């Protein structure tokens, strides 16, 4: 099996070198770059399996680099931020990042988060596939096709269409939609979505869920997912 190739963009020499060594020690191949422009060039040249982007890097900041990557690819992106309460976290998620890790970070935690992201990207429908919480009657299912009004979710082909037009979703957005479509009308809490979609076995930042739900709404329709204040979200059946 080919080694996982990680693009790591970090301007701090000590953090960059130490993290690269830690990732290579557990079997990752790492391309480490000190700024956003060289990171973009490396991304285009190497096409890595995952990108780790520090928010504050020179030349082309991490958020802008994430947007450039997302314009060209659905490769998973994890943002690295020095401040958990920073607006940079939300900006990074809105730019298309799939997750974020706060600095300073423990190497083992970073490796675990990378592996969690890669697992869900390799298995967009989850280990048990969609449909764990609903029935065919819930969504008018036809084989692997779930239909919600003008929204069609092909759970076999991992494709989504709205009013007949294909909708481009990242694997994280697809995984999120599959969780909703498996149980239309059922409220899913943010903590439950963190557990099922982001593979968090511990409490995580619910902003990750909120931003991804909003991104999903812009693609499948703002009125398709309801907010149930104080509880979570549900897909309209």
């Amino acid at each position: 099996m080919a080694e996982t190739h990680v693009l790591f963009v970090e301007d701090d020499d000590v953090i960059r070198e130490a993290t690269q060594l830690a990732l290579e020690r557990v079997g990752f191949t790492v391309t480490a770059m000190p700024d956003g422009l060289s990171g973009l060039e490396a991304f285009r040249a190497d096409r890595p399996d995952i990108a780790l982007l520090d928010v504050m890097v020179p030349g082309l900041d991490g958020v802008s680099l994430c947007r450039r990557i997302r314009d060209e690819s659905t490769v998973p992106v994890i943002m690295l931020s020095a401040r958990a309460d920073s607006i940079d976290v939300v900006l990074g998620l809105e730019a298309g990042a799939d997750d974020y890790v706060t600095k300073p970070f423990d190497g083992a935690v970073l490796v675990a988060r990378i592996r969690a992201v890669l697992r869900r990207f390799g298995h967009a429908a989850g280990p048990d596939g969609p449909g764990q919480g609903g029935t065919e009657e819930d969504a008018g299912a036809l084989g692997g096709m779930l239909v919600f009004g003008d929204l069609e979710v092909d759970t076999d082909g991992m494709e989504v269409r709205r009013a007949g037009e294909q909708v481009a979703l990242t694997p994280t957005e697809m995984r999120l939609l599959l969780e909703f479509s498996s149980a239309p009308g059922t409220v899913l809490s943010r903590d439950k979505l963190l557990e099922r979609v982001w593979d968090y076995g511990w409490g995580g930042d619910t902003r990750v869920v909120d931003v991804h739900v909003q991104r999903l709404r812009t693609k499948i329709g703002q009125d398709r997912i309801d907010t149930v204040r104080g509880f979570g979200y549900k897909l309209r059946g």
Side-chain angles (χ1 to χ4, degrees):
M1 181 180 296
E3 293 182 345
T4 298
H5 188 171
V6 179
L7 171 64
F8 179 40
V9 182
E10 166 64 62
D11 63 326
D12 186 295
D13 294 341
V14 174
I15 295 176
R16 187 174 65 254
E17 292 171 9
T19 303
Q20 179 174 1
L21 287 173
L23 295 178
E24 290 175 342
R25 193 175 297 123
V26 297
F28 294 124
T29 298
V30 180
T31 298
M33 292 297 175
D35 60 76
L37 290 175
S38 64
L40 181 60
E41 291 176 0
F43 171 78
R44 289 171 171 169
D46 299 336
R47 292 297 171 179
D49 300 300
I50 187 168
L52 305 180
L53 311 178
D54 183 42
V55 170
M56 299 299 293
V57 290
L60 184 69
D61 66 78
V63 173
S64 298
L65 176 55
C66 181
R67 289 196 186 98
R68 298 283 285 273
I69 289 175
R70 194 53 75 226
D71 286 342
E72 302 176 17
S73 172
T74 60
V75 67
V77 175
I78 297 178
M79 302 297 298
L80 305 176
S81 173
R83 296 173 296 174
D85 60 347
S86 173
I87 188 63
D88 293 335
V89 170
V90 174
L91 289 175
L93 294 171
E94 289 177 342
D98 300 281
D99 203 352
Y100 81 93
V101 174
T102 303
K103 294 167 35 177
F105 49 79
D106 180 88
V109 171
L110 179 62
V111 169
R113 297 284 277 274
I114 291 172
R115 287 176 170 163
V117 170
L118 291 171
R119 277 198 301 273
R120 72 173 181 267
F121 269 58
H123 304 83
D128 299 315
Q132 296 305 301
T135 65
E136 292 190 355
E137 289 76 15
D138 287 330
L142 298 172
M145 187 71 72
L146 303 176
V147 181
F148 307 92
D150 65 350
L151 185 68
E152 299 177 352
V153 182
D154 181 353
T155 61
D156 292 332
M158 292 292 103
E159 293 182 348
V160 177
R161 289 181 174 79
R162 180 185 179 195
E165 298 292 327
Q166 188 162 346
V167 178
L169 300 181
T170 67
T172 298
E173 292 163 354
M174 186 69 190
R175 183 76 177 260
L176 184 60
L177 179 56
L178 288 171
E179 287 297 334
F180 283 125
S181 61
S182 70
T186 299
V187 178
L188 299 178
S189 70
R190 292 171 175 84
D191 288 340
K192 181 62 68 176
L193 290 170
L194 278 172
E195 176 186 346
R196 292 181 176 178
V197 178
W198 281 267
D199 199 18
Y200 281 11
W202 61 92
D205 187 346
T206 57
R207 287 180 297 182
V208 174
V209 176
D210 294 336
V211 173
H212 276 81
V213 167
Q214 186 54 41
R215 279 169 44 189
L216 185 58
R217 280 171 167 159
T218 64
K219 295 182 178 183
I220 68 171
Q222 291 290 345
D223 60 350
R224 183 55 59 190
I225 300 174
D226 290 331
T227 300
V228 181
R229 191 173 301 277
F231 293 95
Y233 300 100
K234 67 178 180 179
L235 181 72
R236 291 188 181 182

